[in-house]
């Protein structure tokens, strides 16, 4: 019998991020506490730009956006938001969506699987994802449970389970 396997990836549905951004923009335009403070959120190339006339307001815009991401099932670990920066009279926050598992993070995950996972489970780095294979499907389930119990600073999804 062939080995069973699954892939560990860190991907974000771009359309869901776009929907969350649109919902946040709508809420910001309608909320009373954002009236007259120049608060806005929009795409700026690949980055997300949040603007307001005070540091507190721009942080509130970020908070609204984060709540919309959570409602849409997107991990906040994928959101990389910078610090508020003063630009003229406006405060701005640039945020980006992180995708893919970096080489060092993939090696960290593979080491955890090797050290703490069941014997006979193999993990190979393939570009920006990790393939985990084993003869036993129960071992693969144990690896998924092990990794879900760990707290990484990046989002993980488990796909192509076969």
């Amino acid at each position: 019998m062939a080995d069973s396997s699954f892939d560990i990836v860190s991907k974000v549905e771009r359309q869901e991020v776009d929907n969350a951004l649109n919902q946040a923009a709508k809420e910001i335009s309608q909320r009373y506490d954002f009236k007259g403070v120049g608060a806005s959120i929009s795409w700026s190339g690949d980055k997300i730009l949040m603007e307001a006339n005070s540091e507190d307001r721009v942080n509130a815009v970020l908070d609204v956006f984060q709540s919309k991401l959570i409602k849409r099932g997107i991990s906040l670990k994928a959101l990389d938001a910078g610090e508020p920066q003063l630009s003229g009279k406006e405060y701005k926050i640039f945020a980006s969506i992180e995708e893919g598992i970096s080489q060092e993070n993939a090696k960290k995950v593979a080491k955890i699987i090797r050290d703490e996972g069941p014997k006979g489970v193999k993990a190979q780095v393939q570009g920006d994802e990790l393939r985990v294979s084993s003869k036993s499907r129960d071992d693969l389930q144990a690896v998924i449970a092990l990794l879900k119990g760990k707290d990484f600073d990046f989002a993980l999804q488990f796909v192509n389970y076969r």
Side-chain angles (χ1 to χ4, degrees), residues 32-53:
Y32 179 75
D33 58 335
F34 286 119
K35 292 277 189 253
V37 295
S40 68
I41 181 170
S42 61
W43 285 105
S44 174
D46 278 352
K47 294 195 179 293
I48 298 161
L49 172 64
M50 292 163 260
E51 296 178 298
N53 66 358

Side-chain angles (χ1 to χ4, degrees), residues 6 118-121 134-144:
F6 68 89
K119 298 287 178 242
V121 175
S134 173
K135 295 215 180 293
S136 164
R137 285 178 172 235
D138 291 341
D139 288 350
L140 293 180
Q141 295 283 346
V143 168
I144 290 175

Side-chain angles (χ1 to χ4, degrees), residues 5-11 100-103 106-107 110 122-133 159-160 162:
S5 68
F6 68 89
D7 294 336
I8 302 172
V9 297
S10 182
K11 289 197 165 72
I101 302 174
S102 67
Q103 287 291 325
K107 288 177 183 171
K122 296 185 287 294
Q124 303 124 320
V125 178
Q126 295 180 334
D128 61 350
E129 57 185 45
L130 197 69
R131 162 92 24 105
V132 180
S133 57
V159 296
N160 293 340
R162 48 178 119 82

Side-chain angles (χ1 to χ4, degrees), residues 14-30 41-43 48 64-65 68-69 72:
R14 172 80 176 200
Q15 185 62 50
E16 290 296 328
V17 174
D18 202 35
N19 290 343
L21 186 126
N22 291 335
Q23 286 177 340
K26 185 174 183 180
E27 181 172 324
I28 288 163
S29 70
Q30 293 175 345
I41 181 170
S42 61
W43 285 105
I48 298 161
V64 168
F65 182 55
K68 298 301 178 191
L69 286 174
R72 293 210 137 301

Side-chain angles (χ1 to χ4, degrees), residues 71-128:
K71 283 183 182 173
R72 293 210 137 301
I74 297 170
S75 173
L76 291 183
K77 292 177 181 177
L79 180 69
D80 181 26
E83 292 297 312
Q85 301 168 338
L86 184 60
S87 170
K89 292 183 178 179
E90 295 271 301
Y91 279 89
K92 296 181 178 185
I93 294 179
F94 285 99
S96 60
I97 302 296
E98 300 291 323
E99 286 194 302
I101 302 174
S102 67
Q103 287 291 325
E104 60 268 8
N105 286 339
K107 288 177 183 171
K108 249 190 268 181
V109 173
K111 183 171 174 23
I112 288 172
I113 293 170
R114 250 193 332 274
D115 295 347
E116 300 176 30
K119 298 287 178 242
V121 175
K122 296 185 287 294
Q124 303 124 320
V125 178
Q126 295 180 334
D128 61 350

